[in-house]
Amino acid sequence: MKILTQLFENNRKWAYKQTQSDPDFFNRLLQQQSPEYLWIGCSDSRVPANEIVGLLPGELFVHRNVANLVVENDINCLSVIQFAVEVLKVKHIIVCGHYGCGGVKAVLHNTKLGLADNWLKNIQKIKEKYYRNLFEVKDDLTRFNKLCELNVVEQVFNVSNTDIIQKAWQREQQLSVHGWIYDIKDGLLQDLDVCISKTDNIEKSKNHALSKIFLENH
């Protein structure tokens, strides 16, 4: 007996619609993918990577995990980055967080989720690092938003400091790492003003983004 029949029906409708509007759509996808972008985002089902930037399948290489983290011993994420940079030759890596992130919220409010708590220790470190700045903010929602932003900036820093990215820049490969955040309430992206394209501007770019986060209220 078939299960989840609605999803198969949706799939057939989607494939039909694609071929009706663009008869060569699937033939193009059969060719080698050549995206210019790697998206590192949150697994949250409300943040569909391709859709919110208006890109088709084949145009965006995607890695998603809980709270869009880039951890030095996460072989999954690092393999994606390595493949994107060295095989696909992407030109942009976008780390995109989102306001209202459940993982960030759990850390901020010391809520236990279970197994995921081990993963979220990486955000706990960020909370501790910026604790004084965060808790100078009196409004809880603003504090929550700032921790979501800080998490993105720290992950951009983590990506930029991997051997994969450092070696790419050493061989003068065209590659930039960006930090963005998505607002579910209106569907709009915000650039967090952290863009790193070479080793020399990592600290300067990070400090600029941190200054902006703590100078502005959202």
Side-chain angles (χ1 to χ4, degrees):
M1 182 179 72
K2 288 185 178 180
I3 58 175
L4 301 177
T5 54
Q6 184 61 52
L7 298 188
F8 283 97
E9 181 62 26
N10 291 348
N11 168 251
R12 286 190 288 271
K13 290 178 179 177
W14 172 79
Y16 177 77
K17 181 179 179 181
Q18 293 296 333
T19 53
Q20 287 296 108
S21 62
D22 183 358
D24 200 43
F25 179 76
F26 290 107
N27 288 331
R28 288 200 307 275
L29 289 186
L30 286 173
Q31 307 304 313
Q32 175 65 41
Q33 63 173 333
S34 55
E36 291 192 8
Y37 316 96
L38 166 61
W39 176 282
I40 300 176
C42 184
S43 299
D44 193 301
S45 59
R46 301 168 296 174
V47 190
N50 283 74
E51 292 183 33
I52 64 178
V53 289
L55 293 177
L56 294 172
E59 296 179 334
L60 188 71
F61 199 56
V62 178
H63 175 78
R64 297 170 69 178
N65 61 51
V66 175
N68 45 270
L69 296 175
V70 178
V71 182
E72 62 182 4
N73 59 357
D74 179 8
I75 193 67
N76 184 1
C77 183
L78 294 178
S79 296
V80 170
I81 294 172
Q82 184 269 331
F83 189 86
V85 171
E86 298 181 10
V87 179
L88 298 178
K89 307 294 185 184
V90 298
K91 295 179 180 178
H92 303 276
I93 297 176
I94 300 161
V95 180
C96 187
H98 67 97
Y99 295 122
C101 179
V104 174
K105 185 176 182 179
V107 171
L108 183 63
H109 295 153
N110 299 309
T111 304
K112 298 301 181 184
L113 299 178
L115 182 61
D117 295 334
N118 295 289
W119 178 248
L120 296 174
K121 286 179 180 177
N122 295 289
I123 302 178
Q124 181 66 34
K125 293 175 183 176
I126 299 171
K127 176 185 171 183
E128 292 169 358
K129 183 176 181 180
Y130 299 104
Y131 189 89
R132 182 179 63 82
N133 303 83
L134 281 169
F135 286 87
E136 285 178 350
V137 178
K138 302 306 179 185
D139 178 66
D140 186 62
L141 178 58
T142 302
R143 187 184 307 118
F144 181 18
N145 288 344
K146 288 186 182 297
L147 185 54
C148 291
E149 295 169 356
L150 285 168
N151 183 43
V152 171
V153 172
E154 288 292 319
Q155 304 319 312
V156 168
F157 188 67
N158 289 347
V159 171
S160 300
N161 279 298
T162 61
D163 286 343
I164 301 161
I165 305 303
Q166 290 293 311
K167 289 177 180 177
W169 286 333
Q170 287 172 12
R171 59 178 177 266
E172 299 185 347
Q173 182 171 337
Q174 183 181 347
L175 180 65
S176 299
V177 186
H178 311 261
W180 296 356
I181 196 158
Y182 176 71
D183 201 334
I184 294 171
K185 77 175 186 293
D186 58 17
L188 297 178
L189 289 164
Q190 176 184 332
D191 190 336
L192 292 177
D193 281 349
V194 53
C195 177
I196 302 172
S197 55
K198 57 183 179 179
T199 302
D200 293 348
N201 72 350
I202 291 178
E203 287 295 335
K204 181 179 179 181
S205 183
K206 182 182 177 183
N207 290 336
H208 172 74
L210 292 175
S211 297
K212 183 177 179 182
I213 288 172
F214 288 117
L215 284 173
E216 294 184 358
N217 289 325
H218 299 283

